[in-house]
Amino acid sequence: ADSLKKIQDKQRQLAQQRAEATGKLKDLSATRTELGRQKQQVQGKLAEARQLLNTLTAQEKQQLAQAEQTRATRGTERVDLGNITPGSGHAGAAFAAAQSKIGSPYQYAHNGPSTFDCSGLTSWAYAQANITIPRQSEAQANAGQRIYSQSQLQIGDLVFFYGDLHHVGLYAGKGMVLHAPHTGAVVRYESMSNMPYQFGVRI
């Protein structure tokens, strides 16, 4: 009787686990369907944007690029951080290297020396300080000591933005970041309040 009771209890446990697993599979399937729908929407918008861009003349494309470049440059010029004193050691050297690239164009998957994406700039800057860090921002997030409070950040610390950590820059002091923002922009200073800050990393 005891053995039979144990078997019945085990069967109930297995049935419960099976029901829970079935529910999780349904949730996963629904999530996958929703992600697929969102991907189709994004691809549709990209196709529309490409189609619209293809209707522009060469002169109009050049004017659009110049307007974006001018806007990005003006954003950099408006930032006044006073006399910035770089952090000490490797972070200070990395920040000084990044400062020398202010105005350099953003280029996806490039890590210098003349064009950069966000993690390309940070990895290049630390390489100038003889420190090797991973190339991708997600991996750079695990390259040192995490700092969650902005008040504890020091100039030259890596700072990460967005929940998936796809953007990174160098802390510039006074709530600012020195970074390579996006296509059409240049390496520049920007307020960290413009993006969802996650944490900093001290190398």
Side-chain angles (χ1 to χ4, degrees), residues 33-90:
T33 301
E34 176 62 18
L35 288 174
R37 185 185 65 80
Q38 293 179 3
K39 181 180 179 181
Q40 287 180 343
Q41 288 181 342
V42 170
Q43 290 176 334
K45 290 179 181 179
L46 284 173
E48 291 176 3
R50 291 193 192 99
Q51 187 176 6
L52 178 61
L53 188 61
N54 289 335
T55 63
L56 299 178
T57 65
Q59 183 179 0
E60 288 172 333
K61 290 179 181 178
Q62 184 178 3
Q63 290 174 344
L64 183 63
Q66 289 175 344
E68 175 61 23
Q69 185 71 16
T70 300
R71 184 196 65 78
T73 303
R74 279 202 302 265
T76 302
E77 291 172 348
R78 283 197 298 269
V79 176
D80 180 13
L81 297 178
N83 295 322
I84 298 177
T85 302
S88 60
H90 299 302

Side-chain angles (χ1 to χ4, degrees), residues 68-162:
E68 175 61 23
Q69 185 71 16
T70 300
R71 184 196 65 78
T73 303
R74 279 202 302 265
T76 302
E77 291 172 348
R78 283 197 298 269
V79 176
D80 180 13
L81 297 178
N83 295 322
I84 298 177
T85 302
S88 60
H90 299 302
F95 184 77
Q99 280 183 304
S100 72
K101 295 301 178 179
I102 290 175
S104 298
Y106 177 99
Q107 184 72 39
Y108 179 72
H110 282 216
N111 58 338
S114 56
T115 56
F116 303 88
D117 65 7
C118 67
S119 56
L121 175 66
T122 52
S123 60
W124 177 87
Y126 268 92
Q128 308 317 299
N130 297 317
I131 296 295
T132 300
I133 62 175
R135 172 63 178 83
Q136 302 300 323
S137 60
E138 295 85 351
Q140 290 180 12
N142 297 313
Q145 175 190 356
R146 290 193 178 186
I147 303 163
Y148 291 94
S149 173
Q150 291 191 35
S151 64
Q152 295 179 358
L153 291 172
Q154 296 178 6
I155 291 175
D157 286 341
L158 299 175
V159 282
F160 295 84
F161 302 91
Y162 302 98

Side-chain angles (χ1 to χ4, degrees), residues 12 20 53 65 119 161 174 182 184 194:
R12 280 193 293 270
E20 291 175 354
L53 188 61
S119 56
F161 302 91
K174 298 184 179 180
H182 53 75
N194 293 343

